[in-house]
Amino acid sequence: MTTQQAQKAIQDLTQKINYHNDLYYQKHKTEISDFEFDKLLEQLVALENQFPDLKQPDSPTQRVGGAITKEYQTVYHQYPMLSLGNTYSREELTDFDGRVAKGLDGDAYEYFCELKFDGVSISLIYENGILTKGVTRGDGVRGDDVTANVKTIRNIPLKIIDTNIPKNFEVRGEVFMPKDIFIKLNKEREDIGEEKYANARNTASGTLKMQDSSIVAQRKLDCYAYYLLGKDLDVETHEQGIHKLEKWKFNVSDAYRKCKTLDEVFEYIDYWENRRGELPLETDGVVIKVNSLEQQERLGFTAKSPRWAIAYKYKAESVSTRLNGITYQVGRTGAITPVAELEPVQLSGTTVKRASLHNANEIARLDLRIGDYVFVEKGGEIIPKVTGVDLLKRKGNQKPLAYITHCPECQTLLIRHEGEAAHYCPNVNGCPPQIKGRIEHFIQRKAMDIDSLGEQTIRQLFELGLVKSPADLYFLTKEDLLRLDKVKEKSAQNMLNGIKQSKQAPFESVLFAIGIRYVGKTVAEKLARHFKTIDNLATATYDELLAAPEVGEIIAQSVLEFFKNRENLVEISRLKKAGLNFEAQIKEVVLDSTVLDNKSFVISGVFENYERDELKDIILKNGGKVLSSISGKLDYLLAGENMGPAKREKAEKLGVPIISLNDFNALLAGQKL
Ligand code: IVH
């Protein structure tokens, strides 16, 4: 390779890596597997070694991670958060062992092996036994202060209880979203018509950087601790550090093992290769660490990673199999999901017959044709995915695939909204899976909570023509129910009781149950509280909707559209007739004072000692109003830390006073600003 060619190759690789880094760290998305990404980085390292003069000072190989997100306070790490050297081969692991042996001048040593958890690394700072900071890795030197969010993770102790706790120490770990929580979250998103998240790791990473810690808390993140750092810790080996973490009630995965020889390390690797699927999170390899801390110190670090540890990564197993066809599923909201029907094939211990293809863009990107041999992988995702076509096996006579134009269930012409990847069946009130899905959504626990009915019952009720919309449930008779398979007097009565009981459900549950797109339970609660009755909500203008808490343009638009639809209005009037709650039973606010008499506030940013909801309550209890968007009529913008620049700009432009918490307290005390 000539210098000129190398220069071009380095440029191309740098661009590619930066692109994927940005996608991963800033947008929480991935387009290539870790294996492919690592390969790109490896190629760049090799080229830079071969042509050291061409190495750029800002090369991605110099950096451990991604850029810093602006909204959070930047914190410098006391000990840089380095990455680990990676290998996919046993030979390289043997080389690593050779380097360790040499570095330790022939002294005996042992390894401590752990799984490599595929989550988001976190640094937890404890002072006098109290958790004072949680910081993301960022670029390895400095990260984002996400303490408020970290504190919502139940497995992270807020206070250590022990005698002789070191004054200062740091714990490193991996924050993750357990697989079952991830699947549940995606089901909920699908249920209200939101796009599903791609994988658990990126979702955990996005969640950790959310602004509202109460939403983070609902997401139920978890954390595995794997590294104790600091001075005067009274530990001599990594193993003792791990035991200390266990004693201090950190969540430590028990999948570790001390290994005296490299063969034992290989055994450990083999042992977990096929068992890692049973763990609550994805693991992409094994981390091998020299156990003695004194020996770790002797081995030291390179610029990027410790010489005393290495990660052995499992290759994402990829198999090739025939694409027999594509089927299309219709969801509750009418969204179409294409599914690859595959010739059954063994992959990581399970038989794979189907794989999700997400949407038409994905099929076009892969340029799939029926009869192709496709590569199927189980990577970070739980559902297997098609990663590419084995072009060598393509016969040449297959035609490119034409995406369906009509709904496979009701033959209605499909539509595609601008800016959305999915196709939709617009036949909302006549398409069977949409109708059944809507009723299932309606009866779920968070909605009307009719647990005496289930998916099978709904299916039969629909097939017998007894129920075509949720309101029909309230007009069922015992005779109707006795027509169902295996349903006798007792279970029919049970169902009727459940249906009747559900009439007690509060307005916010009813509002969630009626299935307005993008209105999840939290939004339904806010809407119910804000608008108080369904009639107020149904007649609200776009601007009035925007003024409600949690409501942005997308939700406002969706609510407007819902109430424009005549069939929805008929359904609501039938539900009203059945006796459901369409008014919020909110206790009247008893005023503490009227010092804020009709003054309007927008609350923005983060406040040290208050949740935003607490501030809101204080304003309401003192006669004020809380709005969610800034207009010329607004009296005050109450600004905390990290308020977005757009809000500040808008307030300044409109001449709305921007006040601090101190100013706010002065107002409460009756002072003039
Ligand atoms: S030890 C100085 N142990 O892998 C090395 N890291 O590429 C400290 N990781 O940023 C890391 N599981 O997020 C260590 N059992 C484990 C791990 C682990 C996952 C992550 C960690 C780190 C990255 C390194």
Side-chain angles (χ1 to χ4, degrees):
M1 190 182 271
T2 65
T3 312
Q4 228 174 8
Q5 284 167 331
Q7 194 164 17
K8 171 91 178 57
I10 286 179
Q11 252 177 19
D12 288 352
L13 279 168
T14 305
Q15 233 175 34
K16 258 193 207 158
I17 293 167
N18 284 344
Y19 167 76
H20 290 293
N21 246 338
D22 182 61
L23 205 65
Y24 179 77
Y25 283 102
Q26 300 299 320
K27 307 197 178 74
H28 314 299
K29 286 187 180 163
T30 46
E31 281 180 5
I32 56 174
S33 67
D34 283 5
F35 183 70
E36 287 167 301
F37 182 82
D38 291 343
K39 281 274 164 264
L40 292 176
L41 210 55
E42 256 176 50
Q43 282 173 32
L44 186 56
V45 172
L47 275 172
E48 286 176 346
N49 285 342
Q50 207 182 334
F51 298 91
D53 291 341
L54 297 179
K55 188 168 176 167
Q56 294 301 306
D58 61 349
S59 164
T61 60
Q62 305 279 304
R63 293 158 59 85
V64 185
I68 307 296
T69 311
K70 293 243 166 42
E71 296 98 315
Y72 285 96
Q73 223 176 338
T74 303
V75 179
Y76 279 81
H77 295 298
Q78 193 185 351
Y79 308 95
M81 287 183 85
L82 300 174
S83 66
L84 289 167
N86 270 338
T87 174
Y88 289 87
S89 86
R90 288 176 195 237
E91 292 74 51
E92 282 179 21
L93 207 51
T94 313
D95 294 346
F96 164 79
D97 184 48
R99 287 195 299 277
V100 169
K102 197 165 161 220
L104 295 177
D105 300 320
D107 288 357
Y109 57 93
E110 53 190 17
Y111 289 118
F112 196 84
C113 295
E114 293 162 6
L115 293 177
K116 186 168 191 301
F117 309 112
D118 197 12
V120 190
S121 42
I122 193 82
S123 151
L124 305 167
I125 309 294
Y126 287 82
E127 291 168 40
N128 300 316
I130 308 280
L131 171 67
T132 54
K133 261 192 180 38
V135 186
T136 64
R137 176 157 119 185
D139 64 1
V141 176
R142 62 221 163 131
D144 293 334
D145 182 339
V146 289
T147 312
N149 289 346
V150 160
K151 284 187 176 169
T152 69
I153 303 174
R154 284 168 189 258
N155 268 328
I156 296 179
L158 300 176
K159 187 176 178 189
I160 309 297
I161 303 181
D162 199 359
T163 47
N164 281 334
I165 301 165
K167 198 163 161 26
N168 294 301
F169 64 90
E170 180 176 341
V171 176
R172 297 265 172 89
E174 203 77 356
V175 169
F176 64 96
M177 180 171 284
K179 285 184 212 166
D180 53 340
I181 302 283
F182 174 71
I183 292 170
K184 201 168 141 244
L185 175 69
N186 253 351
K187 271 210 183 107
E188 284 170 9
R189 286 182 69 85
E190 199 176 16
D191 182 38
I192 61 162
E194 298 259 25
E195 215 175 298
K196 288 201 281 181
Y197 289 127
N199 62 53
R201 186 202 30 208
N202 295 358
T203 310
S205 151
T207 304
L208 203 56
K209 289 192 178 172
M210 284 177 120
Q211 295 265 317
D212 186 344
S213 59
S214 68
I215 299 183
V216 181
Q218 289 170 20
R219 292 273 178 97
K220 297 199 175 68
L221 294 174
D222 203 335
C223 179
Y224 273 146
Y226 51 67
Y227 196 14
L228 174 64
L229 283 122
K231 295 198 181 78
D232 308 320
L233 296 175
D234 191 25
V235 288
E236 287 174 1
T237 60
H238 180 70
E239 182 186 20
Q240 286 171 8
I242 290 291
H243 290 323
K244 203 148 238 187
L245 290 177
E246 287 174 328
K247 186 170 170 220
W248 288 345
K249 301 251 179 325
F250 284 89
N251 188 23
V252 176
S253 159
D254 58 9
Y256 54 70
R257 193 191 294 171
K258 194 162 71 179
C259 295
K260 294 216 185 311
T261 64
L262 195 58
D263 278 339
E264 282 181 26
V265 172
F266 288 139
E267 265 172 41
Y268 180 81
I269 290 173
D270 292 339
Y271 180 87
W272 281 105
E273 174 135 33
N274 292 320
R275 284 182 178 81
R276 63 203 171 103
E278 298 154 17
L279 296 164
L281 82 164
E282 301 297 331
T283 50
D284 55 357
V286 164
V287 183
I288 300 128
K289 304 172 180 176
V290 169
N291 196 19
S292 148
L293 301 187
E294 180 267 328
Q295 290 181 338
Q296 287 187 0
E297 212 167 297
R298 274 165 65 195
L299 290 163
F301 297 85
T302 71
K304 286 180 297 176
S305 48
R307 290 201 186 87
W308 46 263
I310 192 164
Y312 176 90
K313 293 237 230 164
Y314 295 115
K315 278 193 197 100
E317 201 191 335
S318 174
V319 289
S320 154
T321 187
R322 188 174 183 278
L323 176 69
N324 289 335
I326 291 183
T327 51
Y328 297 85
Q329 287 176 351
V330 187
R332 172 180 88 78
T333 55
I336 308 287
T337 311
V339 177
E341 300 291 340
L342 305 165
E343 191 60 34
V345 64
Q346 282 296 113
L347 179 64
S348 312
T350 52
T351 310
V352 175
K353 297 182 200 135
R354 316 177 84 200
S356 166
L357 289 169
H358 306 296
N359 52 51
N361 295 349
E362 179 73 356
I363 295 180
R365 187 179 75 81
L366 293 164
D367 184 25
L368 288 184
R369 301 172 191 199
I370 307 294
D372 268 344
Y373 277 78
V374 293
F375 295 112
V376 184
E377 244 183 53
K378 247 196 215 169
E381 288 88 64
I382 291 137
I383 306 153
K385 68 173 184 187
V386 176
T387 55
V389 176
D390 191 348
L391 288 173
L392 293 176
K393 287 197 186 160
R394 181 173 277 176
K395 298 258 162 41
N397 55 357
Q398 299 135 298
K399 284 197 230 47
L401 226 136
Y403 203 75
I404 48 166
T405 51
H406 291 75
C407 175
E409 300 279 346
C410 71
Q411 282 70 49
T412 304
L413 185 68
L414 299 180
I415 53 166
R416 202 174 193 185
H417 301 292
E418 218 181 280
E420 282 189 30
H423 284 73
Y424 281 88
C425 166
N427 184 15
V428 177
N429 294 308
C431 180
Q434 295 192 55
I435 298 171
K436 280 183 275 183
R438 216 162 30 244
I439 302 167
E440 279 159 21
H441 166 84
F442 185 86
I443 64 166
Q444 67 175 292
R445 173 158 309 157
K446 284 199 293 179
M448 305 308 288
D449 193 16
I450 314 182
D451 63 2
S452 53
L453 300 178
E455 215 173 288
Q456 294 313 321
T457 318
I458 300 294
R459 186 178 53 76
Q460 277 193 60
L461 286 169
F462 175 76
E463 281 166 4
L464 289 168
L466 293 168
V467 173
K468 294 195 195 66
S469 82
D472 291 338
L473 293 173
Y474 295 95
F475 301 94
L476 286 170
T477 61
K478 195 181 275 178
E479 289 66 45
D480 291 335
L481 293 170
L482 287 171
R483 288 173 60 194
L484 301 176
D485 267 0
K486 296 194 201 115
V487 171
K488 302 254 153 40
E489 177 74 23
K490 194 168 164 222
S491 55
Q493 190 54 50
N494 214 356
M495 288 179 199
L496 287 178
N497 292 347
I499 294 169
K500 188 164 169 216
Q501 173 68 27
S502 77
K503 294 181 188 176
Q504 307 298 323
F507 178 40
E508 62 264 28
S509 299
V510 178
L511 195 52
F512 171 62
I514 58 175
I516 305 173
R517 192 169 177 202
Y518 302 128
V519 176
K521 188 65 192 268
T522 312
V523 174
E525 281 163 3
K526 306 264 166 161
L527 286 176
R529 204 168 148 178
H530 186 83
F531 288 101
K532 300 197 173 57
T533 70
I534 193 92
D535 297 335
N536 288 344
L537 178 65
T539 52
T541 63
Y542 184 66
D543 286 340
E544 283 166 349
L545 284 164
L546 277 186
E550 297 268 333
V551 177
E553 289 170 11
I554 294 178
I555 296 178
Q557 199 56 47
S558 167
V559 172
L560 281 185
E561 266 166 36
F562 183 88
F563 289 106
K564 251 200 294 187
N565 183 312
R566 219 185 62 84
E567 274 147 330
N568 290 338
L569 299 180
V570 172
E571 174 76 3
I572 287 171
S573 82
R574 291 183 66 220
L575 289 171
K576 271 186 185 167
K577 211 161 138 196
L580 270 60
N581 276 321
F582 280 100
E583 277 184 28
Q585 291 138 343
I586 295 174
K587 296 158 249 123
E588 275 307 306
V589 183
V590 183
L591 290 190
D592 287 348
S593 85
T594 52
V595 279
L596 304 179
D597 198 17
N598 275 324
K599 291 274 180 275
S600 57
F601 293 80
V602 164
I603 312 171
S604 181
V606 187
F607 298 84
E608 202 168 327
N609 296 318
Y610 292 97
E611 294 292 331
R612 273 207 291 270
D613 271 354
E614 286 176 305
L615 287 172
K616 189 175 157 188
D617 280 345
I618 295 175
I619 294 173
L620 296 178
K621 285 197 158 177
N622 289 282
K625 286 186 295 190
V626 180
L627 307 178
S628 68
S629 67
I630 300 169
S631 73
K633 287 184 229 146
L634 181 69
D635 291 308
Y636 299 105
L637 171 60
L638 176 51
E641 280 182 40
N642 300 326
M643 183 176 75
K647 279 217 168 107
R648 179 173 296 277
E649 235 169 68
K650 190 162 178 191
E652 280 169 357
K653 208 166 122 199
L654 295 170
V656 174
I658 303 175
I659 61 166
S660 67
L661 197 59
N662 277 343
D663 300 331
F664 177 69
N665 283 329
L667 278 179
L668 273 181
Q671 294 167 17
K672 287 232 153 41
L673 290 185

